[in-house]
């Protein structure tokens, strides 16, 4: 930590959230009423391209630097986030073809650019580049809020190594930003949704699909009472935003070749223009059904202008879209879950604006699953802003704490806890009587200690009731046509879904609970007509269980303990 | 969590013959759990970390959080003055302000002497907003501003520290009636009386006032309490109940008379109040079980002290005697031992002396046996000189050497051998520097 960074006491802290991506970065602050807001830089951009460019010793950042990719590509540094803290042999420099090339330099990665006045070239390490970028972000945030920004919560991909984290913290510290915490990107996105006032704390399985410019990351997260556990992750560098750009580039290049017999992809400058315009067209297609593609002097002084409609785009980009689908399906399987287990899909990252991706996901997942993307849910948050918002919310939560406290609270001793391997539920009576139906109280993968309460209806006529607490597992039941739509009685429970998926009309898949071993039995006597029984299950850290059952509104009740296994 | 999940399917009816201890039957244990990392993010994680680090359970944490929240609410709410207004009070006339309960007028009857200045100000503002004559006029009622005047008067009194103290002095609504004997017997004696004394304590010039305590209080606490109230220093005064002194200059005598009368009345009331308080404390003390307990304890401890003292004295006496006896015994033994030692020393000395004498005789005998180292009859001068030399040597050597020398000479009859022993002895003594070379020539 730099002197500046560590010197800031909690009282004098002004913390922001930073989402630092390969392609774009964004900064968010929390306003007084705990609402996170992504702020625009001096150019008015909320998505600030993570690009630095130098012209005659002057530094350009963001959109201005991005424009320099055409004329000044050698002095423009782009797509450098993933190089931080890496060795040269383990990086993928593909995306830097059209900008300054990374090279090995004293065990780290550097760019040779002309960043000062005069003809002299200097070697700038990736850490220094990141520091300069952070400095610009810090400046923008400080200008916006009128107060010097001292600290930040920064989002990172889930597969960042310790070395990369350290490098990131150092780069930020050099820019005068004290990193309060590094949080995982999918968690930040989830937090941004969960922090909305209308959202309720519940137990749900969430898939966060983060589709960025150069990489796609998917995480399956068990969200249990506001606590998040990542169950599985997947990373893909083959299907991402630039690949959609590539599809459009190829499409328009072919059209250009047809008219002019010149391939604009063979000339670096033409290619850069093509790329920029393709990205703009892609964005336009996320909003409208038609988009223009027009470049002045695309190649050899020939202007080019064309249009494309969304349907065409979706057809030619199908390969990439399918790639996203496979990625998501794969990671759900990797988590040991079924699509029926997923309650929410959150789309995050710039590429998520594409409507087709969201509708594809809706087809994969059952109807009961909410796909949170702008095109499918009206109340969805802008996917590009999710991570920065989540980071800002976390920053506002922890900025009051001493850094020591933060460190202690995020220590593995606190964060590594036992998670239930099976759901705990109560047996209620089903339509056919004799056999009970399992209704989950605490779902699997819930971190202990945990406490949940349910209200279960007592029999209509009242009297003495038996409460049987059991463990349960779920499995997917596939029924052939003409199935008896079997209600399993837990429709109201957010964690359950018993709807069939649309894409397979010939067979119905439903999630069925299987009753496992019995944990305890309790009796509540003399219940009134139409009353409800409150069952509270409290699992302690050592897996000891306390069960309390009583009639809603009544005093006392039955209480019992199960010892730790 | 705020909302509970609902399960609509009914629970099964308790089968017949089902029994369980306290209606609960533990049957199994949970399956083994998986270790996973939770993400250290979000408000609920903060709660988890708080619980984990302070090792609290859910309910403990809930309670602590609730307490913290409740504290905040109370602070926020302390300014909330919302008491129902008595219609009788609303129709009061400001003219008889002396008899009005200023706290009740402002809606502060819950706080009374404890109300802060800030509370009074806010209460006043709130009442003004409601009862301002303009508001009444707007509402269409007559221009009746009498209660508004009451409010203004109440505020005037309560915001002036001197006037407020005068009013507080006679504010009977803040008094707490002492419990009757029956009440004290049936109810919680200490709770009832402590309320009384808490109210009385407001008149004390010295604050804070010691607490009445409860049945387990120590003697210190109880003593402090009664001492304080028997020496109660009260600021209570009764000016507020003065009769109006005519404010005109017409009748000075009348005025003076009134003032005197008032002064006397105040003094009388003050002394009455002091007596009242004293009686109150007497009553409390009379029924106070703690005092009785302390007395019993004191008696018990006094008796115990006496017994202890006697026992201690007896023990000391015994100890002293034993010490004396043992000292005498020791002295006697020492004396006897010394006597024995002395006798033994004497005997040894005599024996040594006898031995030396004997040895010396042996020595002299030896020279005589050697015929004084001459052949034939020795002349007297030679005998004399040889014996002198023998005596010289005898004087130079100590008892042990004498014994050794005598042993060597003893039994020797041949003159040369005797001579050899003697010359050896002389030589040794010369070397040791005890005699000079040339001395004892007759023996060399």
């Amino acid at each position: 930590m730099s002197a500046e960074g560590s010197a800031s006491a909690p009282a004098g802290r002004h913390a922001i959230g930073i989402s630092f991506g390969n392609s774009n970065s964004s900064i968010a602050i929390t306003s007084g009423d705990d609402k996170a807001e992504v702020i625009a830089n001096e150019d008015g951009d909320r998505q600030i391209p993570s690009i630095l460019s130098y012209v005659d010793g002057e530094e350009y950042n963001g959109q201005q630097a991005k424009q320099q990719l055409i004329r000044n590509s050698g002095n423009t540094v782009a797509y450098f986030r993933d190089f931080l803290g890496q060795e040269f042999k383990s990086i993928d420099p593909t995306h830097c073809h059209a900008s300054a090339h990374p090279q090995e330099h004293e065990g780290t990665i550097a760019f040779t650019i002309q960043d000062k006045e005069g003809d002299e070239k200097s070697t700038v390490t990736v850490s220094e580049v990141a520091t300069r970028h952070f400095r610009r972000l810090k400046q923008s945030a400080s200008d916006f809020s009128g107060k010097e920004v001292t600290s930040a919560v920064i989002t990172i991909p889930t597969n960042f190594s310790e070395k990369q984290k350290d490098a990131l913290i150092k780069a930020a510290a050099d820019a005068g930003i004290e990193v309060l915490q590094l949080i995982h990107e999918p968690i930040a996105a989830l937090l941004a949704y969960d922090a909305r006032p209308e959202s309720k704390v519940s137990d749900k399985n969430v898939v966060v699909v983060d589709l960025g410019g150069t990489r796609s990351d998917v995480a399956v997260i068990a969200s249990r009472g506001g606590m998040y556990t990542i169950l599985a992750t997947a990373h893909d560098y083959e299907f991402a935003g630039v690949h959609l750009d590539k599809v459009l580039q190829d499409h328009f290049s072919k059209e250009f070749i047809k008219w002019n017999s010149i391939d604009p992809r063979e000339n670096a400058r033409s290619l850069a223009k093509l790329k920029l315009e393709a990205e703009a067209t892609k964005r336009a297609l996320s909003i409208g059904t038609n988009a223009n593609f027009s470049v002045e002097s695309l190649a050899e002084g020939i202007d080019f202008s064309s249009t494309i409609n969304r349907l065409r785009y979706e057809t030619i980009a199908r390969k990439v879209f399918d790639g996203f689908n496979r990625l998501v399906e794969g990671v759900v399987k990797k988590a040991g879950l079924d699509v029926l287990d997923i309650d929410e899909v959150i789309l995050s990252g710039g590429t998520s604006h594409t409507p087709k991706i969201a509708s594809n996901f809706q087809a994969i997942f059952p109807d009961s699953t909410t796909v949170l993307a702008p095109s499918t849910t009206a109340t969805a948050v802008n996917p590009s802003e999710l991570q920065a918002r989540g980071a800002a919310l976390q920053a506002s939560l922890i900025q009051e704490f001493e850094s020591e406290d933060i460190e202690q609270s995020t220590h593995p001793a606190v964060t590594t806890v036992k998670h239930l391997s099976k759901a705990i539920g109560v047996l209620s009576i089903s339509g056919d009587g004799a056999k009970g139906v399992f209704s989950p109280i605490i779902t699997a993968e819930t971190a202990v200690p945990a406490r949940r309460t349910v209200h279960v209806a007592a029999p209509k006529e009242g009297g003495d009731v038996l409460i049987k607490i059991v463990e349960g597992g779920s499995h997917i039941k596939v029924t052939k046509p003409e199935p008896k739509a079997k209600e399993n009685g837990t429709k109201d429970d957010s964690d359950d879904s018993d709807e069939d998926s649309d894409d397979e009309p010939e067979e119905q898949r439903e999630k069925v609970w299987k009753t496992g071993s019995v944990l305890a039995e309790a009796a509540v006597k003399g219940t009134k007509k139409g009353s409800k029984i409150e069952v509270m299950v409290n699992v302690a850290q050592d897996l000891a269980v306390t069960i309390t059952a009583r009639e809603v509104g009544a005093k006392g009740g039955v209480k019992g303990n199960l010892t730790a296994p | 969590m705020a909302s509970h999940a609902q399960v609509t399917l009914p629970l099964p009816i308790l089968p017949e013959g089902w029994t369980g201890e306290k209606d609960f039957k533990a049957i199994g244990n949970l399956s083994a759990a998986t270790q996973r990392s939770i993400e250290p993010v979000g408000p609920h994680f903060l709660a988890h970390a708080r619980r984990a680090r302070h090792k609290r359970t859910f309910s403990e944490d809930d309670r602590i959080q609730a307490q913290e929240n409740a504290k905040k609410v109370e602070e926020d709410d302390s300014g909330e003055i919302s008491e129902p207004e008595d219609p009788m009070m609303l129709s009061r006339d400001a003219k008889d302000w002396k008899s009005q309960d200023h706290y009740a007028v402002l809606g502060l009857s819950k706080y009374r002497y404890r109300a802060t200045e800030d509370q009074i100000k806010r209460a006043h503002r709130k009442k003004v907003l409601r009862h301002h004559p303009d508001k009444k006029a707007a509402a269409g009622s007559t221009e009746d501003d009498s209660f508004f005047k009451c409010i203004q008067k109440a505020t005037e009194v309560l915001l002036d520290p001197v006037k407020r103290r005068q009013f507080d002095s006679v504010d009977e609504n803040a008094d707490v009636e002492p419990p009757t004997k029956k009440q004290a017997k049936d109810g919680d004696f200490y709770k009832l009386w402590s309320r009384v004394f808490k109210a009385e304590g407001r008149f004390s010039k010295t604050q804070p006032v010691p607490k009445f305590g409860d049945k387990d209080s120590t003697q210190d606490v109880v003593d402090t309490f009664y001492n304080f109230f028997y020496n109660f220093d009260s600021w209570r005064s009764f000016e507020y109940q003065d009769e109006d002194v005519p404010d005109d200059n017409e009748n000075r005598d009348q005025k003076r008379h009134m003032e005197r009368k008032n002064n006397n009345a105040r003094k009388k009331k003050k002394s009455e109040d002091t007596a009242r308080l004293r009686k109150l404390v007497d009553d409390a003390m009379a029924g106070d079980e703690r005092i009785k307990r302390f007395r019993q304890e004191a008696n018990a401890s006094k008796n115990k002290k006496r017994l202890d003292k006697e026992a201690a004295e007896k023990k000391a006496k015994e100890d002293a005697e034993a010490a004396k006896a043992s000292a005498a015994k020791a002295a006697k033994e020492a004396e006897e031992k010394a006597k024995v030692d002395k006798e033994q020393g004497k005997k040894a000395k005599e024996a040594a002396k006898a031995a030396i004498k004997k040895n010396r005789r042996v020595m002299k005998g030896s020279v005589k046996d050697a015929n004084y180292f001459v052949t034939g009859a020795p002349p007297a001068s030679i005998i004399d000189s040889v014996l002198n030399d023998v005596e010289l040597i005898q004087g130079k050597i100590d008892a042990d050497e004498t014994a050794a020398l005598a042993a060597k000479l003893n039994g020797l009859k041949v003159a040369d051998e005797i001579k050899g022993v003697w010359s050896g002895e002389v030589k040794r003594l010369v070397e040791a520097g005890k005699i000079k070379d040339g001395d004892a020539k007759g023996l060399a």
Side-chain angles (χ1 to χ4, degrees), chain B residues 249-302:
Chain B
N249 294 331
E250 277 173 26
N251 196 339
R252 202 183 288 166
D253 285 345
Q254 170 73 5
K255 192 180 166 186
R256 293 232 171 105
H257 170 68
M258 288 303 291
E259 279 175 355
R260 248 196 323 275
K261 204 174 148 191
N262 277 338
N263 264 333
N264 287 339
R266 281 185 211 167
K267 268 183 203 154
K268 197 179 162 214
K269 279 174 185 158
K270 178 87 184 171
S271 59
E272 274 171 10
D273 184 56
T274 315
R276 181 191 62 86
L277 181 66
R278 180 159 278 264
K279 188 175 177 299
L280 210 61
V281 181
D282 282 342
D283 286 352
M285 204 171 184
D288 198 336
E289 294 292 334
R290 293 176 301 183
I291 301 282
K292 283 175 198 159
R293 197 183 75 216
F294 294 144
R295 207 168 283 150
Q296 279 167 7
E297 280 172 7
N299 280 340
S301 74
K302 219 190 216 166

Side-chain angles (χ1 to χ4, degrees), chain A residues 127-155:
Chain A
S127 173
E128 173 62 19
V129 174
T131 302
R132 290 179 189 182
H133 181 57
F134 277 133
R135 223 172 263 150
R136 297 297 291 253
L137 295 179
K138 181 186 172 184
Q139 193 54 43
S140 299
S142 300
D143 288 349
F144 181 88
S145 54
K147 223 168 36 168
E148 168 90 2
V149 168
T150 58
S151 347
V153 170
I154 303 179
T155 60

Side-chain angles (χ1 to χ4, degrees), chain A residues 419 421 451 471 492 521 563, chain B residues 6 18 29 31-32 34 40 62:
Chain A
H419 286 63
S421 54
R451 181 183 58 176
E471 276 193 332
D492 51 342
E521 285 179 351
T563 50
Chain B
Q6 303 284 338
W18 188 92
N29 288 118
S31 317
T34 340
D62 281 355

Side-chain angles (χ1 to χ4, degrees), chain A residues 83-90 107-108 159-171 182:
Chain A
F83 299 166
L84 264 174
Q86 294 271 55
E87 281 174 44
F88 187 72
K89 61 174 193 279
S90 54
T108 169
N159 64 345
F160 245 38
S161 67
E162 285 303 317
K163 220 172 147 196
Q164 284 172 293
K165 287 181 197 170
D166 292 345
L168 183 61
I169 290 171
K170 188 187 169 293
L182 294 176

Side-chain angles (χ1 to χ4, degrees), chain A residues 181 183-184 187 191 201 225-230 394 397 405 408-410 414-419 421 424 428-429 439 445 449-451 453-457 459 461 464-466 471 492 518-523 525 532-533 545 558 560 562-563, chain B residues 1-15 18-53 55-62:
Chain A
Q181 195 185 356
I183 64 172
H184 289 146
I187 302 295
L191 183 64
V201 179
M227 297 222 276
Y228 310 122
T229 309
I230 296 184
Q394 179 68 6
L397 284 175
D405 276 352
Q408 274 179 21
S409 295
T410 55
V414 178
T415 59
T416 310
V417 296
K418 285 184 177 136
H419 286 63
S421 54
I424 301 173
S428 41
I429 215 152
S439 309
E445 301 303 350
R451 181 183 58 176
T453 310
V454 286
H455 287 178
V456 198
E461 61 278 10
D464 300 351
V465 293
L466 172 70
E471 276 193 332
D492 51 342
V518 181
L519 296 176
E521 285 179 351
K525 288 179 179 161
K532 280 181 175 170
I533 309 293
V545 186
V558 185
L562 300 184
T563 50
Chain B
M1 245 154 286
S3 63
H4 302 307
Q6 303 284 338
V7 177
T8 41
L9 275 184
L11 286 164
I13 290 167
L14 192 66
W18 188 92
T19 49
E21 196 188 337
K22 286 181 183 165
D23 290 345
F24 185 83
K25 210 150 70 173
I27 294 167
N29 288 118
L30 285 185
S31 317
T34 340
Q35 285 280 3
R36 286 183 194 274
S37 285
I38 43 175
E39 295 294 315
V41 170
H44 297 277
F45 173 77
L46 285 186
H48 165 79
R50 191 176 61 223
R51 288 189 298 261
R53 288 178 56 199
K55 300 209 165 29
R56 294 181 192 158
T57 64
F58 278 99
S59 32
E60 275 168 10
D61 192 56
D62 281 355

Side-chain angles (χ1 to χ4, degrees), chain B residues 97-111:
Chain B
W97 59 272
K98 280 235 162 178
S99 63
Q100 101 179 358
D101 182 349
H102 301 308
Y103 290 116
V105 167
L106 291 184
L108 289 168
S109 46
K110 205 160 56 177
Y111 298 99

